[in-house]
Amino acid sequence: MSAIADVARLAGVSKATASRALSGRGYVADETRLRVQGAASELGYIASPNAASLVTGRTKNIGVIIPFVNRWFFGEVLEGVERELLAAGYDLTLYNVTSDLAQRSQIFEFFLARKRVDAVIAVGVELSLDEVERLHRFGKPVVGIGGPIAHATTIAIDDVAASRLATEHLLSLGHTRIAHIGGNQAQQMDFSVHGKRLRGFELAMQAAGLPTTDTFWPTELSMPGGYAVALQVLGDPRHRPTAIFAACDEVAFGTILAAQRLGVDVPRDLSITGIDDHEYAAMFGLTTVVQAPREQGRLAVAAVLRLLETDAAEQPGGETILPSRLVVRSSTTAAVPVPVAGR
């Protein structure tokens, strides 16, 4: 196997110049760079990532910590992160963070805080100040997705604004009997996503002068969860709402299927909105608020690469809030006027 010394000898340059020409780090004249690259190609030389790491102090590897790998949002974020990292010549190491505190501590102490990764992207994980500072002490920039993290660059949607927008759309169509099927408040995700989406719903209802008592139905944020709870919500025609805001698209899909089973027509008898713009949203005709998780992943990688380029001693932090955008489809329509007695 050819070594860098063989490439340097064939190109007529020093080993340091050959290394700079092949790594792209440091100035090398274009003519010299082409000569070195030609020599490397002729000898079949492939630069060792481990050797490059010793020279540059970089692993070309980004650590991604995530609480779930089998849920749509997190899978889509990972897709965006992976594509962008590969395009930039970086590898990805995935760490599944659970509620096990000992396991979480081990990940930060032995894997992330040492030299196995150049930076960290936290997806839906609310890092503590101590965890962020520990990574910074080892020179690891931190970018978060999902909510604010102290002393870290973060990217997220405004969950309160998104749920308020989805509810206000239903209100604008004349609906007044609106229910919210959302995440269990006793089982909050990091960044209090369940609570924020309930809060946005309540703010919209209160602004319209409508009650919020007995309008919230908790469930697991999944299609089966939405289906099971929607059967309860829609089962009694005397108290059936004319519209439902689902905390995520998968819950909305389950709600649509439950309505079909009960003979409730969507949208004539029931309008439904969600949050995500899931890949199946168009197929279900679902009106929803766009979350764009792949774009969030792409933006996170762009932020990480900028931080690595600046090589600043301290990370300034800052939060990017993506705007809420409603996509109107066929799952919503104007409320049917309630007949007035005697007319």
Side-chain angles (χ1 to χ4, degrees), residues 215-277:
T215 57
F216 172 61
W217 295 73
T219 186
E220 175 187 288
L221 296 188
S222 66
M223 191 183 301
Y227 178 79
V229 171
L231 287 177
Q232 299 177 50
V233 177
L234 303 173
D236 185 349
R238 296 170 302 172
H239 302 100
R240 184 179 292 160
T242 64
I244 290 177
F245 159 53
C248 72
D249 284 2
E250 290 189 27
V251 169
F253 300 156
T255 301
I256 291 172
L257 294 176
Q260 290 175 349
R261 176 177 172 180
L262 294 172
V264 177
D265 185 85
V266 177
R268 185 191 64 203
D269 303 323
L270 179 72
S271 286
I272 301 171
T273 59
I275 293 179
D276 278 337
D277 200 25

Side-chain angles (χ1 to χ4, degrees), residues 132-197:
V132 173
E133 289 181 340
R134 193 185 314 175
L135 291 168
H136 285 175
R137 282 197 298 272
F138 284 87
K140 312 298 182 188
V142 180
V143 172
I145 294 177
I149 298 173
H151 304 306
T153 300
T154 58
I155 296 149
I157 66 167
D158 184 333
D159 286 291
V160 175
S163 58
R164 185 165 186 168
L165 177 60
T167 307
E168 287 174 342
H169 172 67
L170 297 172
L171 291 166
S172 73
L173 294 172
H175 293 280
T176 56
R177 301 202 312 274
I178 306 173
H180 171 44
I181 302 179
N184 192 320
Q185 300 301 294
Q187 300 172 358
Q188 287 285 353
M189 297 174 63
D190 281 10
F191 305 114
S192 300
V193 173
H194 299 169
K196 289 176 180 177
R197 294 190 182 179

Side-chain angles (χ1 to χ4, degrees), residues 87-110:
Y90 277 76
D91 292 323
L92 176 156
T93 299
L94 187 65
Y95 299 93
N96 184 203
V97 175
T98 68
S99 57
D100 186 330
L101 295 179
Q103 181 243 30
R104 179 164 173 154
S105 178
Q106 184 181 48
I107 286 174
F108 279 90
E109 181 62 29
F110 295 104

Side-chain angles (χ1 to χ4, degrees), residues 7-337:
V7 175
R9 190 178 305 111
L10 181 59
V13 298
S14 67
K15 286 195 293 183
T17 299
S19 178
R20 289 199 304 275
L22 294 175
S23 69
R25 295 184 176 274
Y27 174 76
V28 177
D30 290 342
E31 181 183 349
T32 303
R33 187 183 306 278
L34 289 173
R35 195 164 70 248
V36 172
Q37 290 173 344
S41 177
E42 182 177 337
L43 293 172
Y45 172 79
I46 299 175
S48 165
N50 292 332
S53 176
L54 292 173
V55 174
T56 65
R58 297 279 175 82
T59 65
K60 299 287 283 186
N61 186 37
I62 303 299
V64 177
I65 54 179
I66 198 165
F68 307 103
V69 295
N70 60 345
R71 294 192 181 181
W72 176 81
F73 172 81
F74 297 99
E76 289 291 294
V77 169
L78 279 178
E79 182 78 16
V81 167
E82 184 180 39
R83 286 187 180 185
E84 201 70 11
L85 285 177
L86 287 175
Y90 277 76
D91 292 323
L92 176 156
T93 299
L94 187 65
Y95 299 93
N96 184 203
V97 175
T98 68
S99 57
D100 186 330
L101 295 179
Q103 181 243 30
R104 179 164 173 154
S105 178
Q106 184 181 48
I107 286 174
F108 279 90
E109 181 62 29
F110 295 104
F111 301 125
L112 298 181
R114 299 196 177 181
K115 294 191 175 182
R116 299 195 180 190
V117 299
D118 294 332
V120 172
I121 297 175
V123 184
V125 177
E126 194 168 358
L127 301 181
S128 69
L129 181 59
D130 177 68
E131 289 169 335
V132 173
E133 289 181 340
R134 193 185 314 175
L135 291 168
H136 285 175
R137 282 197 298 272
F138 284 87
K140 312 298 182 188
V142 180
V143 172
I145 294 177
I149 298 173
H151 304 306
T153 300
T154 58
I155 296 149
I157 66 167
D158 184 333
D159 286 291
V160 175
S163 58
R164 185 165 186 168
L165 177 60
T167 307
E168 287 174 342
H169 172 67
L170 297 172
L171 291 166
S172 73
L173 294 172
H175 293 280
T176 56
R177 301 202 312 274
I178 306 173
H180 171 44
I181 302 179
N184 192 320
Q185 300 301 294
Q187 300 172 358
Q188 287 285 353
M189 297 174 63
D190 281 10
F191 305 114
S192 300
V193 173
H194 299 169
K196 289 176 180 177
R197 294 190 182 179
L198 173 58
R199 181 60 178 155
F201 166 76
E202 291 176 336
L203 287 173
M205 294 287 282
Q206 289 164 2
L210 296 173
T212 56
T213 305
D214 299 326
T215 57
F216 172 61
W217 295 73
T219 186
E220 175 187 288
L221 296 188
S222 66
M223 191 183 301
Y227 178 79
V229 171
L231 287 177
Q232 299 177 50
V233 177
L234 303 173
D236 185 349
R238 296 170 302 172
H239 302 100
R240 184 179 292 160
T242 64
I244 290 177
F245 159 53
C248 72
D249 284 2
E250 290 189 27
V251 169
F253 300 156
T255 301
I256 291 172
L257 294 176
Q260 290 175 349
R261 176 177 172 180
L262 294 172
V264 177
D265 185 85
V266 177
R268 185 191 64 203
D269 303 323
L270 179 72
S271 286
I272 301 171
T273 59
I275 293 179
D276 278 337
D277 200 25
H278 188 285
E279 60 186 314
Y280 297 156
M283 183 175 69
F284 277 87
L286 181 65
T287 294
T288 187
V289 177
V290 176
Q291 184 161 206
R294 288 196 190 190
E295 176 65 6
Q296 292 186 48
R298 188 193 70 77
L299 291 172
V301 172
V304 157
L305 297 180
R306 283 197 303 271
L307 290 167
L308 288 172
E309 288 171 5
T310 58
D311 206 19
E314 293 187 7
Q315 186 176 336
E319 187 176 15
T320 298
I321 300 295
L322 303 181
S324 297
R325 179 170 62 88
L326 183 75
V327 176
V328 178
R329 297 192 177 97
S330 60
S331 69
T332 54
T333 193
V336 176

